[in-house]
C-alpha cells in the first residue's frame, strides 16, 4: 500500500493467479436445502482472553475472544430510574464493543489488512445481535470487548462469528439471558429459487440474495437479522427466516455440549 | 518444627499450582520443591512478582516446572487453511501463531527485474492479549514484521530469483501473513517457525507465458512445492537481573526481564540473525552459551519439521 509506512512494502499492485486460469470452477452440487454442515465448537482455548471460542462449520473457521469488563471510555452519562432486578439505570448500562476481522488469507482473493467498510458493517451486526442477550445492566460504566477473527471463509461467515461470539461470552462468565445462535441462508439465481440453509462459499458467490438470522433458542426470540440481494415475494423471505430459525434450533444442542465440556475442563484444571 | 519437617508436611498436603507440568523422575525433588514454592508463595506472585521469580531461579527452575534451558511443548499443524496457498499453525506452550501464505502475480521491481517479492506481515490483534488495541499495527507488531523480513533476507530461505516467471514482466509475490492468536511470550520464535512450516507447505501452480497473446496461462491442476534452501530457527532468551539467562520466556517472564535476545541459527551452525533490542549487556561467554543452545534447538525443531512434512498426505 503506497502510504502505509507501518507495514513492509510490497509491489504496488498484484493479481491473483485464478484470473489467468483456463478452467472454470464447477457449479456447486445439488443438495438437500435444509442440511446443516457438521459443526465443531470448542470454548476456553485461549489463555490470555477472559473467554474464547472456536467454531468450525464445513470450511468456515472462526475464533472469537472476549475481554473485560473494563472501565468504559467516554464521558459520564446521567442517571435515571433503576432497571428491574438491581440493574443500573438505562443511561449507565455497560457497552459491548465488537470487532470483526478477516484474516488476509481467509478468502479466495487476498485482502490487505485494513479491512474497510464490510468489516465495520459486520461488527455492527454482531453488536446488534449480541446486545439483547447480554445483561448489560449488570456492568454499569463498563465495556466488554468482543473480537472475532475469521480464519477461513467457507460460507455463512457472519452466522459462525455470531455463534462463536455468544459462546465466548458464555465462556467468559458474562451474565446473559440466553445464547445467540446464527444461521446463514442464500437463494440461488433462477426462475424457481429455493433458499439453501448454511451455504458454502461457492453457493454464496453465485447467490442472488443472502440472509443471516440470529436466534436466542430458549427464549425463542430473534436477536438479529441481516439480509441483502435481489428482491422477491414477501412469502419467500418469510419462508427463509422460518428455515433459518429452524436451523438455529437444531444447532443449539451442540453448543450446549460444548459449554458443558469447557466447564468440566476448567474444573479439572483448577482444583483449588 | 525444623525446615525438613515443614517440607515433609507440605509434600503431603501441597497440590500442584495451576500450570505445573510433569517432569522427569530423577528431577522429582526439584519438581516437588517447585510445587511447594508455588503454593506457599501464591500471594507473593501478585504482590511482588520479581521476588517470586527470584526464589525459583535460585533453585534453577521456573514456576511452571521448566529448567532454565528448557523449551515449552511445541506443536505444529500444517495445511489447515484451504483458501491459503500454504498455511501452518504453531503452538509454543500457550503462544499460538498462524501463518497463511497467498501467492499473487506482480511486475518485478525495476531495480531487480529477475526477482520476486516475499512480503511478511505480523499482526497482533486485540484477541491475542488485552494489551493490544485494534487499529494500525503497533510498535511490537512492526518490530516483529521487520524481524521476519530480516530473517527471510539474511537466511535466503527462498532465492528470490526462483519466484521470477518472466524477467521484467511477471513474478510471484508471496504475502506471508502471520497472526498471533494467543500471546504468552516468545512471539518471534513462534513466528519464524510458523513461517518456515507454511513455506514448506506452499504449492505454486505452473505458469507459462503464451507466445501469441503474451499473457500468462495458469494451470491450477499442476502444482509444485517451493525450493526451501535453508531452515532458519529462532531461539529467544530473557535476561534476568543482568546475569541470568532463561530460554523461551513466557509473557510474565518477558515483562519482568531486564533484556531479551533472539538468535536465529541455520543448519551447520551458521548464524543468520541476532536481535538484541537494548536491555542489559551480555558478556561474550554468555553469548557463546546462547549460540550453542540455539544450535541444539535447531536440531530439535528440524526433527519436528521433518516428522510433520513426512506425515503430510501427498496430493
Amino acid at each position: 500500500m503506497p502510504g502505509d509506512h507501518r507495514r513492509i512494502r510490497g509491489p504496488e499492485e498484484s493479481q491473483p493467479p485464478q484470473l489467468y486460469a483456463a478452467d472454470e470452477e464447477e457449479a456447486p452440487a445439488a443438495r438437500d436445502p435444509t442440511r446443516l454442515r457438521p459443526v465443531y465448537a470448542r470454548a476456553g482455548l485461549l489463555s490470555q482472553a477472559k473467554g474464547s471460542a472456536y467454531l468450525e462449520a464445513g470450511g468456515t473457521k472462526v475464533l472469537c475472544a472476549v475481554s473485560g469488563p473494563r472501565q468504559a471510555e467516554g464521558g459520564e452519562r446521567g442517571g435515571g430510574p433503576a432497571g428491574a432486578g438491581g440493574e443500573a439505570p438505562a443511561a449507565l448500562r455497560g457497552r459491548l464493543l465488537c470487532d470483526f476481522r478477516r484474516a488476509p488469507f481467509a478468502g479466495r482473493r487476498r485482502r490487505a489488512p485494513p479491512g474497510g467498510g464490510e468489516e465495520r458493517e459486520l461488527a455492527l451486526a454482531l453488536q446488534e445481535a449480541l446486545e439483547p442477550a447480554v445483561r448489560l445492566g449488570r456492568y454499569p460504566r463498563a465495556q466488554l470487548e468482543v473480537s472475532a477473527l475469521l480464519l477461513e471463509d467457507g460460507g455463512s461467515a457472519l452466522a459462525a462469528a455470531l455463534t462463536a461470539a455468544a459462546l465466548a461470552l458464555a465462556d467468559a462468565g458474562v451474565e446473559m439471558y440466553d445464547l445467540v445462535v446464527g444461521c446463514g441462508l442464500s437463494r440461488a439465481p433462477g426462475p424457481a429459487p429455493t433458499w439453501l440453509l448454511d451455504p458454502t462459499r461457492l453457493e454464496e458467490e453465485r447467490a442472488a440474495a443472502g440472509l443471516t438470522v440470529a436466534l436466542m433458542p430458549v427464549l425463542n426470540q430473534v436477536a438479529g437479522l441481516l439480509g441483502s440481494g435481489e428482491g422477491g415475494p414477501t412469502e419467500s423471505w418469510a419462508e427463509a427466516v422460518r428455515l433459518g430459525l429452524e436451523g438455529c434450533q437444531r444447532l443449539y444442542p451442540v453448543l450446549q455440549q460444548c459449554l458443558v465440556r469447557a466447564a468440566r475442563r476448567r474444573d479439572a484444571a483448577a482444583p483449588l | 518444627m525444623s525446615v525438613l519437617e515443614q517440607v515433609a508436611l507440605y509434600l503431603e498436603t501441597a497440590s500442584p499450582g495451576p500450570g505445573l507440568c510433569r517432569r522427569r523422575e530423577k528431577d522429582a525433588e526439584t519438581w516437588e520443591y517447585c510445587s511447594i514454592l508455588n503454593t506457599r508463595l501464591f500471594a507473593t506472585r501478585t504482590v511482588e512478582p520479581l521476588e517470586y521469580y527470584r526464589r525459583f531461579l535460585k533453585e534453577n527452575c521456573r514456576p511452571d516446572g521448566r529448567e532454565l534451558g528448557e523449551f515449552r511443548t511445541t506443536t505444529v499443524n500444517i495445511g489447515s487453511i484451504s483458501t491459503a496457498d500454504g498455511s501452518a499453525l504453531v503452538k509454543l506452550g500457550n503462544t499460538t501463531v498462524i501463518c497463511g501464505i497467498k501467492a499473487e502475480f506482480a511486475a518485478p521491481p525495476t531495480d531487480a527485474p529477475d526477482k520476486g517479492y516475499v512480503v511478511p506481515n505480523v499482526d497482533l490483534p486485540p484477541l491475542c492479549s488485552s494489551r493490544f488495541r485494534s487499529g494500525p499495527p503497533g510498535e511490537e507488531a512492526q518490530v516483529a514484521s521487520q524481524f521476519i523480513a530480516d530473517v527471510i533476507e539474511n537466511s535466503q530461505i527462498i532465492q528470490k530469483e526462483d519466484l521470477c516467471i518472466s524477467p521484467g514482466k511477471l513474478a510471484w509475490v508471496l504475502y506471508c501473513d502471520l497472526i498471533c492468536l494467543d500471546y504468552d511470550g516468545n512471539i518471534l520464535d513462534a513466528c519464524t517457525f510458523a513461517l518456515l512450516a507454511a513455506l514448506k507447505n506452499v504449492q505454486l501452480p505452473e505458469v507459462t507465458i503464451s507466445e501469441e497473446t503474451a499473457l500468462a496461462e495458469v494451470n491450477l491442476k499442476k502444482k509444485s512445492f517451493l525450493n526451501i534452501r535453508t531452515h532458519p530457527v529462532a531461539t529467544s532468551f530473557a535476561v534476568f537481573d543482568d546475569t541470568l539467562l532463561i530460554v523461551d520466556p513466557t509473557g510474565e517472564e518477558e515483562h519482568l526481564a531486564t533484556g531479551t535476545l533472539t538468535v536465529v541459527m541455520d543448519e551447520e551452525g551458521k548464524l543468520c540473525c541476532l536481535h538484541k533490542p537494548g536491555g542489559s549487556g551480555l558478556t561474550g561467554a554468555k553469548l557463546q552459551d546462547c549460540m550453542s543452545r540455539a544450535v541444539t534447538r535447531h536440531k530439535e525443531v528440524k526433527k519436528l519439521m521433518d516428522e510433520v512434512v513426512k506425515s503430510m498426505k501427498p496430493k
Side-chain angles (χ1 to χ4, degrees):
Chain A
M1 294 189 60
D4 194 354
H5 57 95
R6 291 183 213 240
R7 294 180 213 270
I8 309 279
R9 299 273 305 265
E12 293 281 316
E13 50 175 58
S14 53
Q15 295 85 32
Q18 280 81 17
L19 286 178
Y20 299 89
D23 32 302
E24 283 291 313
E25 268 200 32
E26 333 81 55
R31 46 91 149 185
D32 170 22
T34 57
R35 75 103 180 86
L36 272 179
R37 290 176 293 186
V39 161
Y40 170 74
R42 188 176 152 141
L45 57 158
L46 296 183
S47 66
Q48 300 295 310
K50 186 114 184 289
S52 55
Y54 173 73
L55 192 88
E56 201 175 303
T60 308
K61 300 180 168 83
V62 181
L63 181 65
C64 190
V66 168
S67 65
R70 203 179 291 189
Q71 176 86 10
E73 291 137 30
E76 273 283 314
R77 289 171 286 170
E87 296 192 356
L92 286 177
R93 278 158 57 99
R95 288 194 299 185
L96 201 62
L97 288 178
C98 295
D99 177 42
F100 182 88
R101 258 174 211 246
R102 223 180 253 272
F105 42 81
R108 201 195 289 266
R109 173 99 205 245
R110 178 185 189 255
R111 285 199 216 189
E118 198 210 342
E119 289 188 356
R120 266 196 289 272
E121 182 195 2
L122 294 179
L124 202 60
L126 265 181
Q127 186 189 335
E128 285 177 352
L130 292 171
E131 267 186 0
V134 178
R135 291 190 74 184
L136 289 170
R138 302 285 273 161
Y139 301 97
R141 294 198 195 87
Q143 69 190 25
L144 291 160
E145 281 149 19
V146 177
S147 358
L149 174 66
L150 183 68
L151 292 170
E152 187 182 340
D153 188 358
S156 10
L158 178 61
L162 270 166
T163 321
L167 280 176
L169 280 166
D171 185 52
V174 170
E175 293 194 36
M176 297 170 80
Y177 292 110
D178 196 359
L179 271 188
V180 177
V181 187
C183 213
L185 297 119
S186 77
R187 188 183 77 204
T194 43
W195 282 91
L196 297 170
L197 189 61
D198 199 14
T200 60
R201 183 163 43 96
L202 278 173
E203 288 166 354
E204 255 186 14
E205 279 170 3
R206 289 169 166 71
L211 180 69
T212 308
V213 215
L215 176 75
M216 292 195 283
V218 173
L219 298 175
N220 207 15
Q221 294 182 341
V222 175
L225 196 71
L226 186 67
S228 64
E230 273 177 22
T234 351
E235 301 81 45
S236 163
W237 285 89
E239 170 67 26
V241 173
R242 196 187 56 78
L243 196 60
L245 299 184
E246 251 176 49
C248 294
Q249 288 286 2
R250 276 156 63 190
L251 207 47
Y252 186 54
V254 176
L255 308 174
Q256 276 178 310
Q257 280 271 314
C258 157
L259 285 175
V260 166
R261 251 185 273 133
R264 285 213 185 105
R265 232 181 287 128
R266 213 177 312 134
D267 272 343
L272 298 166
Chain B
M1 223 194 289
S2 76
V3 175
L4 278 171
E5 282 174 271
Q6 277 187 332
V7 168
L9 179 65
Y10 271 100
L11 268 172
E12 286 172 50
T13 57
S15 46
L20 273 184
C21 55
R22 292 267 144 212
R23 297 189 57 220
R24 302 172 294 281
E25 280 312 312
K26 74 170 182 163
D27 291 303
E29 279 175 42
T30 331
W31 182 75
E32 293 288 357
Y33 195 61
C34 275
S35 81
I36 295 164
L37 280 180
N38 228 346
T39 346
R40 289 182 76 175
L41 301 174
F42 195 66
T44 327
R45 184 171 202 165
T46 33
V47 174
E48 274 182 340
L50 200 53
E51 213 26 69
Y52 175 77
Y53 266 89
R54 283 206 187 106
R55 301 270 194 99
F56 281 89
L57 293 174
K58 248 195 303 218
E59 310 300 325
N60 269 347
C61 70
R62 286 137 101 177
D64 55 2
R66 288 189 285 157
E67 276 175 21
L68 299 189
E70 200 179 320
F71 263 82
R72 291 173 281 186
T73 327
T74 317
T75 45
V76 60
N77 187 322
I78 286 192
S80 37
I81 310 282
S82 57
T83 46
D85 295 304
S87 60
L89 174 81
V90 166
K91 271 182 83 104
L92 209 63
N94 278 331
T95 304
T96 313
V97 172
I98 187 163
C99 175
I101 302 193
K102 292 283 269 179
E104 296 199 340
F105 288 147
T110 38
D111 54 346
D114 60 341
K115 290 199 171 151
Y117 293 87
V118 181
V119 183
N121 182 37
V122 176
D123 191 16
L124 299 173
L127 72 78
C128 70
S129 166
S130 47
R131 74 175 88 169
F132 302 117
R133 298 253 165 261
S134 59
E139 197 182 306
E140 197 156 352
Q142 290 180 55
V143 166
S145 296
Q146 190 55 48
F147 173 78
I148 299 289
D150 286 341
V151 167
I152 297 175
E153 187 65 42
N154 296 344
S155 66
Q156 295 275 300
I157 288 189
I158 314 181
Q159 241 336 4
K160 292 217 172 107
E161 282 81 359
D162 289 346
L163 294 175
C164 181
I165 305 168
S166 158
K169 297 218 194 69
L170 202 64
W172 283 112
V173 48
L174 293 178
Y175 290 106
C176 311
D177 295 292
L178 294 131
I179 307 186
C180 175
L181 302 176
D182 197 355
Y183 188 100
D184 195 16
N186 203 0
I187 194 83
L188 298 177
D189 284 12
C191 284
T192 329
F193 193 5
L195 180 73
L196 182 62
L199 282 171
K200 287 206 93 127
N201 181 237
V202 167
Q203 287 188 312
L204 295 179
E206 186 192 48
V207 186
T208 45
I209 310 278
S210 80
E211 304 273 322
E212 308 91 46
T213 55
L215 278 180
E217 269 166 28
V218 173
N219 184 358
L220 288 172
K221 301 265 164 53
K222 267 186 72 177
K223 294 200 174 177
S224 57
F225 285 98
L226 282 177
N227 180 16
I228 308 290
R229 301 161 86 241
T230 54
H231 298 82
V233 169
T235 312
S236 292
F237 302 84
V239 187
F240 261 85
D241 290 336
D242 299 339
T243 42
L244 213 53
L245 274 168
I246 55 171
V247 146
D248 189 16
T250 62
E252 215 178 323
E253 287 166 2
E254 265 183 6
H255 188 66
L256 298 169
T258 49
T260 51
L261 166 72
T262 308
V263 177
V264 182
M265 273 296 183
D266 207 345
E267 286 109 3
E268 310 140 23
K270 285 205 299 224
L271 186 66
C272 295
C273 185
L274 196 74
H275 179 75
K276 189 176 186 325
S280 30
L282 285 175
T283 59
K286 285 233 160 55
L287 216 54
Q288 273 308 118
D289 288 338
C290 291
M291 297 212 228
S292 24
R293 181 69 185 88
V295 171
T296 341
R297 174 68 178 163
H298 186 280
K299 295 203 186 75
E300 292 167 29
V301 168
K302 187 87 192 342
K303 214 168 63 144
L304 185 60
M305 271 295 311
D306 291 338
E307 268 175 37
V308 172
V309 170
K310 226 184 335 179
S311 68
M312 260 170 30
K313 291 190 292 281
K315 276 209 170 168

